[in-house]
Amino acid sequence: MTDAIVARGLGRRYLWRGGAQDALVDVNLRVPAGGLLGLIGRNGAGKTTFVRVASTQLLPTAGSVEVLGHDVVSEVGAVRGRIAVIPQESRPLYWLTPQELVAYYLRMRGGARRESEAKAKEALRELGLVPWAHTQVNRLSGGLRRRAMVAMVMASDAEVVFLDEPTTGLDPLARRSVWSAIRKAVSEHRTVVLTTHYLDEAEALSDRIALLEHGRILLEGTPREVAGRVRYPYRVAVESGFTEEELRSYGEVSRIGDRLLLFTHEPAARELTRKGLERGARISLGPVSLEDVFVQMVGKDFESDSAEEA
Amino acid sequence: MDRTSRARQIWSLVAMNGFVPMKRQPLYLVNTLTSPFSFLFFIAIVGGPAAIPFGVAGGMILTILSIGTSLQTDMTHYKQDLKLQDMVVASPMGAGIYVTGMALSEFVYAIPGMTVFAILSVLFGHYVFLGGVAVVVTLVLLWIFASALGFTLATYLADVRETFAVSPIISLALTVIPPVYYPITRWPAFLRPIAYIFPTTWAANLVQGALGISPSPLTLVQGVEDGLVLVATAAILFALAWAKAQWRER
């Protein structure tokens, strides 16, 4: 299988008067053609910077990226005709209807009017937007607007699609309709780069996952490989019945809000379950999820990250 | 990308940013008429009937220049708030097509004002031979100048609020201070060379000359000279926009 995206030693440094910040440091990534790469990480980890560099919006300061075999700096013209992007926090033009929004986007890419309108109709159907196809965007909810944005790139003929947090703010049902549109894009052998804060989303959709932290890739592989690289395969969430000190003898403990999260091996998990039942403790256990991997690798969860930033 | 596709790209922007919003919100039509007609009204009241042709000439120039300030605001909004420009950058549409399409879409808003001023210029002016051609060429060159200026500034502004600070300064520097709404003879003789720093002074020379209201009649040599300065100014600004505008961020 050929690679649609290859990043080699990629770096991006932002400079300003009296300071500098490395948003990407020595990033090496390969995204197979027709695959979906889920980019996860905290706010400011470098996900959006990677998308912006790979989608030709931002110049790298070190290393290189090739998209569909073309360098994004020296062969930018060959790349731009074959990619599409939904930037983070992008919003539609409020005076258009979703049907117009998608059709005009396709015509801006050089499409013929009738063909663009037909494709727009189809994309809106896939994303469950038919009832609002001819309603002006400013009368739609935030979730519907976001889905209309997704419809824009999904209706295009782009071979590589970059989706920067496309489901942020969507309700679970709306998220599912976006997921199904993304799955359809992958089934059509299009390559998708998805950044997301929802780890279940990355887990459900991605062929490969890369965890970014401070601009560096901490982990990269299939969801199973990523989960397999953590030290402990089981997680036990404890709400009562055990002290933090007691749990430490079983494995690695993190405090997440009022809960204690223990990462441990299977025999220890069984023993804790037995003890928990005897004590009437409130515990739950299972194999580690992507979120747990994140907690183990980064040392905190997404919520604590948000609290820190606030 | 072939010529047909490029034409489609440009037309899609003209429709999307020009005709559709104008159809949905007709107040835009009135809005574009307000500034040039406010000046015209003021000049007519203060200067009397003799000043009206100058107000008409200035109104034409201001209407075209307002394309640049609207372009600057729209492009900043599309880049910073809606992230539409990011979507366009990562697409087959090039910077030249985007700017051309957006500049033409802003021209759509200027059509009503230009139509009214064109009628007024016939009523109050005394067009010289080929004066109409001179006016059209001048306004086209100004449109290119204003669009290149608007695009370049938009790539550097971080927020739409900043355009609110920049636009009045541009209006002041290009339409209020230079002799656009009045003859250059109102400036003291020793200061007149300074007036020619402003490209709109050259444009006003041409338009006022074409309307037969200039203090000295427009000659072919002078017309060509004014026109060449405008071409050079538009070309320099266009080259600057090409080199310095940040289509892809550095």
Side-chain angles (χ1 to χ4, degrees):
Chain A
M1 189 183 283
T2 54
D3 292 318
I5 301 172
V6 181
R8 295 188 189 92
L10 185 66
R12 170 70 207 194
R13 172 173 284 189
Y14 290 106
L15 295 171
W16 60 87
R17 228 170 260 175
Q21 189 190 347
D22 286 311
L24 291 174
V25 183
D26 194 26
V27 169
N28 294 288
L29 263 182
R30 286 176 181 276
V31 186
L36 192 149
L37 172 74
L39 273 179
I40 57 171
R42 295 188 293 156
N43 290 333
K47 307 183 295 294
T48 294
T49 301
F50 179 82
V51 165
R52 286 174 59 74
V53 171
S55 62
T56 77
Q57 299 170 57
L58 182 69
L59 285 167
T61 48
S64 65
V65 189
E66 280 177 16
V67 173
L68 300 165
H70 299 283
D71 186 85
V72 297
V73 177
S74 59
E75 300 169 281
V76 66
V79 175
R80 285 180 173 155
R82 301 166 71 184
I83 62 171
V85 64
I86 302 179
Q88 192 182 359
E89 293 174 359
S90 54
R91 288 184 286 135
L93 298 168
Y94 73 87
W95 56 82
L96 298 178
T97 65
Q99 169 70 27
E100 288 169 338
L101 188 74
V102 178
Y104 277 127
Y105 176 70
L106 298 180
R107 288 166 69 186
M108 281 166 66
R109 295 180 66 93
R113 185 179 173 171
R114 280 193 185 171
E115 188 193 359
S116 300
E117 284 175 357
K119 281 184 177 177
K121 211 172 270 182
E122 174 61 19
L124 295 180
R125 193 189 58 74
E126 266 170 32
L127 282 146
L129 288 168
V130 172
W132 300 277
H134 302 288
T135 307
Q136 228 170 288
V137 163
N138 61 347
R139 295 192 192 121
L140 300 181
S141 68
L144 291 172
R145 290 179 196 193
R146 198 73 192 143
R147 275 151 77 186
M149 297 297 295
V150 174
M152 287 166 79
V153 294
M154 289 306 177
S156 77
D157 54 2
E159 293 161 65
V160 178
V161 177
F162 296 89
L163 307 171
D164 197 355
E165 298 186 14
T167 57
T168 301
L170 296 188
D171 64 52
L173 276 177
R175 277 177 76 205
R176 299 285 162 172
S177 67
V178 173
W179 288 15
S180 89
I182 293 172
R183 284 197 179 105
K184 183 168 178 281
V186 173
S187 75
E188 290 165 351
H189 203 66
R190 296 157 89 178
T191 307
V192 179
V193 174
L194 168 78
T195 78
T196 181
H197 272 293
Y198 302 116
L199 298 182
D200 61 328
E201 183 169 289
E203 206 161 17
L205 295 173
S206 307
D207 300 311
R208 299 189 74 76
I209 285 170
L211 168 60
L212 277 164
E213 173 72 352
H214 297 308
R216 295 174 190 273
I217 292 185
L218 286 189
L219 271 180
E220 198 256 327
T222 63
R224 182 172 286 197
E225 282 170 354
V226 168
R229 268 188 240 172
V230 292
R231 205 167 141 202
Y232 299 105
Y234 275 81
R235 73 194 289 276
V236 184
V238 180
E239 287 182 41
S240 64
F242 293 92
T243 63
E244 189 169 343
E245 206 165 75
E246 190 180 0
L247 290 176
R248 280 192 200 287
S249 60
Y250 290 96
E252 208 172 288
V253 183
S254 299
R255 178 173 285 280
I256 308 292
D258 295 336
R259 286 185 316 159
L260 291 168
L261 204 57
L262 169 71
F263 296 104
T264 187
H265 293 291
E266 192 181 343
R270 283 178 192 279
E271 192 185 326
L272 266 173
T273 311
R274 186 180 51 76
K275 280 189 180 175
L277 283 170
E278 285 169 8
R279 297 180 191 181
R282 293 185 67 179
I283 63 170
S284 60
L285 87 161
V288 290
S289 67
L290 198 54
E291 174 125 22
D292 302 322
V293 174
F294 187 88
V295 171
Q296 286 195 47
M297 295 301 296
V298 181
K300 51 186 111 174
D301 69 354
F302 277 53
E303 285 170 21
S304 61
D305 168 60
S306 307
E308 247 175 43
E309 291 193 354
Chain B
M1 185 145 298
D2 60 19
R3 208 174 281 175
T4 314
S5 299
R6 286 201 197 107
R8 278 182 195 143
Q9 290 179 319
I10 290 173
W11 180 248
S12 64
L13 283 166
V14 174
M16 191 180 79
N17 193 55
F19 290 114
V20 176
M22 196 181 275
K23 195 174 96 183
R24 306 253 152 97
Q25 181 52 276
L27 272 179
Y28 283 129
L29 290 172
V30 182
N31 178 47
T32 54
L33 294 171
T34 50
S35 291
F37 279 95
S38 301
F39 272 115
L40 179 62
F41 179 75
F42 183 72
I43 282 167
I45 295 291
V46 174
I52 292 177
F54 287 100
V56 173
M60 284 201 251
I61 291 171
L62 179 58
T63 304
I64 290 296
L65 282 176
S66 68
I67 290 174
T69 46
S70 303
L71 184 72
Q72 177 195 309
T73 306
D74 277 355
M75 289 186 92
T76 306
H77 179 52
Y78 289 176
K79 182 179 159 65
Q80 305 295 349
D81 300 335
L82 305 185
K83 314 286 180 196
L84 177 72
Q85 188 172 313
D86 289 346
M87 294 182 79
V88 173
V89 171
S91 84
M93 180 181 275
I97 298 285
Y98 182 61
V99 179
T100 307
M102 288 294 289
L104 279 169
S105 75
E106 302 295 349
F107 188 79
V108 170
Y109 294 92
I111 290 171
M114 288 312 296
T115 308
V116 176
F117 277 115
I119 294 166
L120 290 176
S121 73
V122 173
L123 292 176
F124 292 97
H126 314 280
Y127 272 106
V128 298
F129 178 63
L130 291 179
V133 176
V135 168
V136 170
V137 170
T138 305
L139 296 180
V140 168
L141 288 171
L142 266 185
W143 171 67
I144 295 170
F145 166 83
S147 302
L149 181 68
F151 175 57
T152 307
L153 289 172
T155 63
Y156 285 96
L157 298 175
D159 192 271
V160 177
R161 282 177 64 91
E162 290 184 9
T163 68
F164 303 152
V166 173
S167 298
I169 295 170
I170 290 172
S171 288
L172 183 75
L174 292 178
T175 55
V176 179
I177 295 174
V180 168
Y181 273 93
Y182 55 89
I184 192 167
T185 47
R186 292 293 179 102
W187 279 47
F190 72 99
L191 281 178
R192 281 179 207 162
I194 295 171
Y196 287 97
I197 292 170
F198 307 103
T200 38
T201 301
W202 302 84
N205 264 356
L206 264 170
V207 175
Q208 290 171 4
L211 291 181
I213 56 170
S214 181
S216 52
L218 183 69
T219 64
L220 184 66
V221 174
Q222 194 200 326
V224 170
E225 190 185 299
D226 291 344
L228 283 177
V229 170
L230 278 180
V231 169
T233 314
I236 289 167
L237 204 62
F238 205 77
L240 269 176
W242 194 256
K244 293 289 176 188
Q246 297 198 36
W247 185 241
R248 183 205 298 225
E249 284 179 38
R250 297 179 182 109

